[in-house]
Amino acid sequence: MSELFQNASCAEACTEHRPRLGLRWQAQRDTAFASRGAVPASTQPRSKAPSPLRSAGALHIALLLLLTLSLPAQDSVRTLAGLPETPGSTDGTNTTARFNDPAGIAIAADGTIFVADNQNHAIRRIGTNGVVTTLAGLPGTPGSADGTGSTARFDSPTSLALGPDGALFVSDTGNHTIRRINTDGTVTTFAGFAGMADYTNGPTTTTNCFSLPLGLAVASDGTVFVADSGNHVIRTITSNGIASILAGNPRTFGFADGTGTNAFFNSPVGLALAPDGSLFVSDANNFTLRRVTADGVVTTLAGAAGQDGSADGPAASARFGKPAELALAPNGTLYIADAAHHAIRRLTPDGRVSTIAGLVGADGAADGANGLARFFNPYGLAIAACGHLVVADTYNQTVRELLAPFAVGVSPSGNGRVISWEAVVGRSYQVQFKDSLSAAWQNLGTTTLADSLAASQPDTTVTTSPRFYRILRVE
């Protein structure tokens, strides 16, 4: 049975999870995820491996005959843009660009990355060539004006989502509005009334009021979902601007599963829309992940209300600290930016939570592979078409790229064995092997082009000796 309770003052519940509050989350140290069977860190490939092979997802396995193994591969993190702990607003290429508390992330089909640059009050764009430009807003100048390019104004924009027509929706948190940037660069106010933090539904965009809107998601029919954080509810806005409540009780924070207004949230932050129309929600101040069906039925997926922590494991026993934005992979894996713990977590379809990058309780800015990377209050999260995760590492003032670990299995097949792994459709992979740790890696056959979410490569070699394998993704 769900328990309804309140565990913070209204002011705390409304404002606690905004990206910049002049505080550093207090995090408990916990055991970080490390790939079992991996070789020592000194021999791990760096995140910027020589082209054309990028060593993200390289898995090292000591294979025993007649034993089926299924292990996670290693992670790999590199910095795409910005310089650690160096705020600014400069446009430029890669690390010459500067951000000031980057928050929400959205990625277009062509690979262009959009960034809600929260304390610059601007929307930035990272091209596929690494060049950072300012799409809308004037860095360092808050406001609420509609317009084009630098004539538009925002106040602490936080979350982004792309619509089916290519328009970019922005939760303009400080203005308590939802903005829309059309493909021609024109900025308009889609819903809400600038400067008015309130809760009302109405037949027009300007009669709908929000309070500290954060997470966004957009359906294929143009419906916009909003984590109306200050009102503790999940709302919908139709393509013609009519707002309504999907779940939660307006202006009442707490915790309860249920339907519609019988459910309760405490400052919901991130949203991710599933193919079946349901929403995943990071219920930040409840330290939980929730799910809302298209009919408004709310259930708790992982974590425990009121219990901050960092434990991995089965969803019910897993713990989170300020889960922020979410990203849903095609295979149903949900990725979570666990801001307070400086880590990226994931919830797999079989209901298990693991930490895939960063070290719980340890902030830092290091790039690296196999658990060596560090984050500092990561907030924004999105998945590119190529399968990479892009992370807004907010207090590091950077945008990072994470190649998440993927499951790899080795199983007997006749006199040989089959190596199988989770794949991204349209990507190529190369299986390599060696028969001793000191030997050089050799290709096992040619590259494999994935045409589904699972790929495999047979090894028909008959051997009684251990054999080591790794999977390389061809970039």
Side-chain angles (χ1 to χ4, degrees):
M1 179 180 295
S2 298
E3 179 183 7
L4 172 62
F5 64 88
Q6 296 184 349
N7 59 5
S9 71
C10 185
E12 289 173 337
C14 288
T15 64
E16 185 176 354
H17 201 76
R18 290 185 66 181
R20 171 60 72 187
L21 296 172
L23 59 84
R24 305 293 198 245
W25 302 121
Q26 296 298 313
Q28 297 178 352
R29 191 175 184 86
D30 195 19
T31 302
F33 174 87
S35 298
R36 292 172 293 166
V39 298
S42 60
T43 64
Q44 291 289 353
R46 296 176 182 269
S47 63
K48 295 183 179 179
S51 180
L53 295 179
R54 176 86 179 276
S55 61
L59 176 72
H60 306 260
I61 300 174
L63 179 66
L64 302 179
L65 293 180
L66 304 180
L67 178 65
T68 298
L69 299 176
S70 182
L71 299 175
Q74 68 187 35
D75 63 284
S76 178
V77 178
R78 69 184 180 110
T79 300
L80 292 177
L83 190 66
E85 296 197 62
T86 308
S89 60
T90 306
D91 288 339
T93 302
N94 299 125
T95 56
T96 65
R98 298 290 181 268
F99 301 91
N100 195 347
D101 286 7
I105 298 283
I107 307 176
D110 66 357
T112 300
I113 300 168
F114 298 96
V115 182
D117 197 355
N118 186 271
Q119 289 301 291
N120 273 326
H121 313 291
I123 308 303
R124 314 289 291 282
R125 176 172 50 196
I126 306 175
T128 55
N129 58 358
V131 175
V132 178
T133 56
T134 301
L135 174 65
L138 185 64
T141 308
S144 61
D146 291 339
T148 302
S150 61
T151 66
R153 297 289 183 271
F154 300 88
D155 187 350
S156 306
T158 303
S159 186
L160 304 174
L162 284 161
D165 61 354
L168 185 66
F169 290 87
V170 182
S171 61
D172 195 2
T173 305
N175 279 321
H176 311 289
T177 57
I178 309 301
R179 314 289 291 280
R180 176 186 168 113
I181 306 177
N182 297 315
T183 53
D184 64 359
T186 303
V187 178
T188 59
T189 299
F190 181 69
F193 192 85
M196 181 178 292
D198 204 347
Y199 173 83
T200 57
N201 288 324
T204 63
T205 57
T206 55
T207 56
N208 299 319
C209 289
F210 298 82
S211 178
L212 299 174
L214 293 177
L216 297 175
V218 185
S220 58
D221 65 356
T223 299
V224 178
F225 298 88
V226 183
D228 193 358
S229 184
N231 283 317
H232 314 292
V233 294
I234 308 302
R235 299 172 72 180
T236 62
I237 311 171
T238 63
S239 57
N240 58 357
I242 299 175
S244 60
I245 189 168
L246 177 64
N249 197 300
R251 300 173 178 166
T252 306
F253 62 91
F255 177 82
D257 289 340
T259 301
T261 55
N262 291 319
F264 289 82
F265 299 89
N266 193 346
S267 298
V269 174
L271 299 180
L273 184 63
D276 65 358
S278 61
L279 278 173
F280 294 96
V281 181
S282 60
D283 194 4
N285 283 354
N286 277 325
F287 312 109
T288 56
L289 301 179
R290 317 286 291 277
R291 184 168 185 161
V292 186
T293 69
D295 296 325
V297 179
V298 179
T299 54
T300 300
L301 290 179
Q307 297 185 32
D308 182 3
S310 58
D312 289 336
S317 59
R319 297 293 180 264
F320 301 91
K322 301 299 180 188
E325 293 210 333
L326 308 172
L328 185 64
N331 66 358
T333 296
L334 183 69
Y335 294 94
I336 306 107
D338 198 349
H341 291 323
H342 314 297
I344 307 301
R345 318 280 295 280
R346 72 176 171 194
L347 172 64
T348 53
D350 63 357
R352 295 194 65 84
V353 174
S354 59
T355 301
I356 63 167
L359 179 62
V360 168
D363 62 81
D367 289 340
N370 203 28
L372 297 180
R374 297 290 179 266
F375 298 89
F376 193 6
N377 199 74
Y379 186 93
L381 198 61
I383 298 179
C386 63
H388 300 172
L389 283 166
V390 176
V391 182
D393 197 3
T394 303
Y395 286 177
N396 270 328
Q397 316 299 344
T398 56
V399 177
R400 318 281 292 279
E401 178 188 77
L402 165 60
L403 278 70
F406 52 86
V408 181
V410 180
S411 58
S413 177
N415 292 325
R417 56 196 66 85
V418 173
I419 302 91
S420 57
W421 62 94
E422 293 177 326
V424 177
V425 174
R427 308 300 293 182
S428 294
Y429 299 83
Q430 177 66 61
V431 180
Q432 294 187 328
F433 74 94
K434 59 182 178 179
D435 292 322
S436 70
L437 285 175
S438 60
W441 288 106
Q442 302 178 59
N443 288 344
L444 179 64
T446 59
T447 58
T448 299
L449 178 64
D451 57 6
S452 69
L453 297 177
S456 62
Q457 173 76 42
D459 183 1
T460 58
T461 304
V462 179
T463 177
T464 59
S465 301
R467 174 163 281 192
F468 301 85
Y469 294 92
R470 71 178 182 182
I471 313 295
L472 298 179
R473 209 168 84 174
V474 180
E475 295 293 290

